Amino acid sequence: MELSLSTSSVTPAVSRRQASLLLHNQQQVLGVSFASALKPGGRALRFPSRRPFPRPITCSASTAEPSSEVKKQLVRRNDVRNIAIVAHVDHGKTTLVDSMLRQAKVFRDNQVMQERIMDSNDLERERGITILSKNTSITYKNTKVNIIDTPGHSDFGGEVERVLNMVDGVLLVVDSVEGPMPQTRFVLKKALEFGHAVVVVVNKIDRPSARPEFVVNSTFELFIELNATDEQCDFQAIYASGIKGKAGLSPDDLSDDLGPLFEAIIRCVPGPNINKDGALQLLATNIEYDEHKGRIAIGRLHAGALRKGMDVRVCTSEDSCRFARISELFVYEKFYRVPVDSVAAGDICAVCGIDDIQIGETIADKVHGKPLPTIKVEEPTVKMSFSVNTSPFSGREGKYVTSRNLRDRLNRELERNLAMKVEDGETADTFIVSGRGTLHITILIENMRREGYEFMVGPPKVINKRVNDKLLEPYEIATVEVPENHMGPVVELLGKRRGQMFDMQGVGSEGTIFLRYKIPTRGLLGLRNAILTASRGTAILNTVFDSYGPWAGDISTRDLGSLVAFEDGTSTSYALASSQERGQMFVAAGADVYKGQIVGIHQRPGDLGLNICKKKAATNIRSNKDVTVVLDTPLTYSLDDCIEYIEEDELVEVTPSSIRMCKNPKMAKKGRS
């Protein structure tokens, strides 16, 4: 059987992509790599092999070609590779990095190594997600590989966008069952815009319902959809089990280690293009803080050489520059920062001594230095109000309680969190914080709470735009993975939230259905808990920002009202026994409450005032038998749950020890029944 394809007859780029897609879709039947089908001067290709996954011959290459003048000055540095590991949340990036570090002998044989070593933040370990990007490096066959582990959640997309400035290629990790997900699309789109080389790692290949053929085909279609170049579409696919530390060029033939993955990185990701003798240029891509060293700027050295004690110019733009001196210099070796006297162009390093440096500024040569283009990230889509705690319990548990404390902390967050914005609110003690999603802001709230701050936050609101007198609101792509027997209630729920289904497919042998929706961001507020309830805790919801679209109309996010305490005091079993007939309670007996605090969920629409501090009347008449009071277990709501629950006239009181909800005293109370 023969198939001839001459690229001379396929002139436009689009036609070549269509031909490439056609070949790729026939891969399973014909047993040919689409990677080799588009060679210049195409020739007949033979397909004797019956193997479903032949080994691709070539890899994608970086397509960001410099101008001809600059090209003469640039040289390729082959002893360094700079890569970022990007993927959708829970596709196994951090676990894969664990195995890479272990096999590169970063740790001693007798050293105890914890799981997800790159998730060093307490909050990351508790939630099982990566929040901040981290740097590490390994050495493979005399080549230093700088690895950056990035967050997988769409709310932390600003971290991914920044990191892509430092690297020349990415490892795109895709789950062998789920395939490309919303965040896969987002991170791949950014990587392709930068012109980076891409190595696709089909992870968790040992899962029983793995479908690598579908995943590679879907990933290739995603490349086509995102207008990747022909070279980028010609990606190398590696099949791996991150948790077992195995990889291979075929899903049925894995090596005993990650050798094929390391080889693919060295072969497919180009070394950095550097101007070795040019004027110094380093773009500050990340900021860390150390108690002894102060502010530490992290970035890749694009040109020249950086030395300890060197006088430099720090530039935001051509007109805005100041002078500074480098006090200390570090590079990343294995899992640590190692002090060095000088750094050559192409390497990633950490710089101390510039106390006021910001992300996006350029450390340049003192005389001939010119700034690099500043980092741009996408605009935030959700905002929340932060204000001073005004409840009767204010100041009991927190260390930092004033508006000045709050303002200083929020301004510090802006220095390293480019995707966040802070504006003054209507009053002097209120601030409007805008972020990429509710999780983006709740992580900040949780960090502040652990640092000893006490404050109040309002409900999340979407940031709308007005274009040509038309009101536009943000839309997101929501992907729901749900068992087939719970699909009905989930579809009904998403329909009420103005979601429009555009894809539905069955996955694997477990009877799981994938639903894809385009839904207003407003409809996602409070949706996660509702979907878990509708599916009895079995559904998985993932979202990523898509675009701004026309206003979708009114959306009801909550059908039930709140139970509100109408006096200060301590809750009693006697009062709670009768109150729990009205709905589900948030507080147990013996808890301190105050007037206006939300103590439960009403079983009907509208709020209801309750006295949960009422005591049993003491009389001199002895009863024959004391009535045994049986109380229901109160609902335990986390910070995320509380923020999803509250409505326009409600607030969340956040302290280091407690999270409470209350009615906003500044707003008129809505329909109390």
Side-chain angles (χ1 to χ4, degrees), residues 488-515:
V490 171
V491 169
E492 183 183 356
L493 189 61
L494 287 160
K496 286 181 181 176
R497 301 294 187 104
R498 307 276 181 177
Q500 297 177 336
M501 186 195 298
F502 64 87
D503 187 22
M504 180 175 74
Q505 53 181 290
V507 180
S509 56
E510 297 107 337
T512 303
I513 303 293
F514 262 135
L515 306 171

Side-chain angles (χ1 to χ4, degrees), residues 646-666:
I646 58 172
E647 286 198 321
E648 187 71 24
D649 63 335
E650 297 167 347
L651 297 168
V652 178
E653 179 190 353
V654 180
T655 75
S657 311
S658 313
I659 297 171
R660 308 181 189 92
M661 291 178 283
C662 63
K663 305 303 285 187
N664 189 345
K666 296 178 183 176

Side-chain angles (χ1 to χ4, degrees), residues 565 567-581 585-594 599 610-617 629-632 634:
E567 73 171 22
D568 301 350
T570 303
S571 60
T572 64
S573 301
Y574 175 73
L576 287 173
S578 56
S579 298
Q580 67 188 16
E581 297 172 5
M585 306 302 294
F586 290 140
V587 296
D592 290 338
V593 297
Y594 56 82
V599 294
L610 291 176
N611 182 2
I612 63 167
C613 304
K614 185 178 179 182
K615 295 178 181 176
K616 187 175 182 180
V629 176
V630 179
L631 296 179
D632 296 336

Side-chain angles (χ1 to χ4, degrees), residues 589-607:
D592 290 338
V593 297
Y594 56 82
K595 184 179 179 181
Q597 182 178 334
I598 296 172
V599 294
I601 303 174
H602 193 200
Q603 60 190 5
R604 294 192 177 92
D607 298 336

Side-chain angles (χ1 to χ4, degrees), residues 64-79:
E65 288 295 326
S67 63
S68 56
E69 290 182 14
V70 178
K71 203 171 182 179
K72 294 176 184 176
Q73 304 171 356
L74 297 183
V75 293
R76 186 74 73 182
R77 186 175 171 186
N78 289 320
D79 62 334

Side-chain angles (χ1 to χ4, degrees), residues 114 116-132 134 443 447 450:
Q114 59 186 8
R116 302 199 325 273
I117 187 72
M118 297 294 280
D119 286 347
S120 52
N121 188 313
D122 289 341
L123 214 49
E124 291 178 321
R125 293 202 152 276
E126 288 171 21
R127 294 180 179 238
I129 59 173
T130 303
I131 297 170
L132 303 172
K134 316 281 193 326
I443 290 293
N447 280 326
R450 294 181 182 206

Side-chain angles (χ1 to χ4, degrees), residues 240-254:
S241 169
I243 198 162
K244 291 183 178 177
K246 295 182 178 182
L249 295 173
S250 162
D252 305 320
D253 183 21
L254 298 186

Side-chain angles (χ1 to χ4, degrees), residues 350-367:
V351 179
C352 302
I354 309 172
D355 293 333
D356 56 349
I357 192 164
Q358 304 284 348
I359 289 174
E361 292 187 324
T362 303
I363 299 174
D365 185 78
K366 187 178 180 182
V367 181

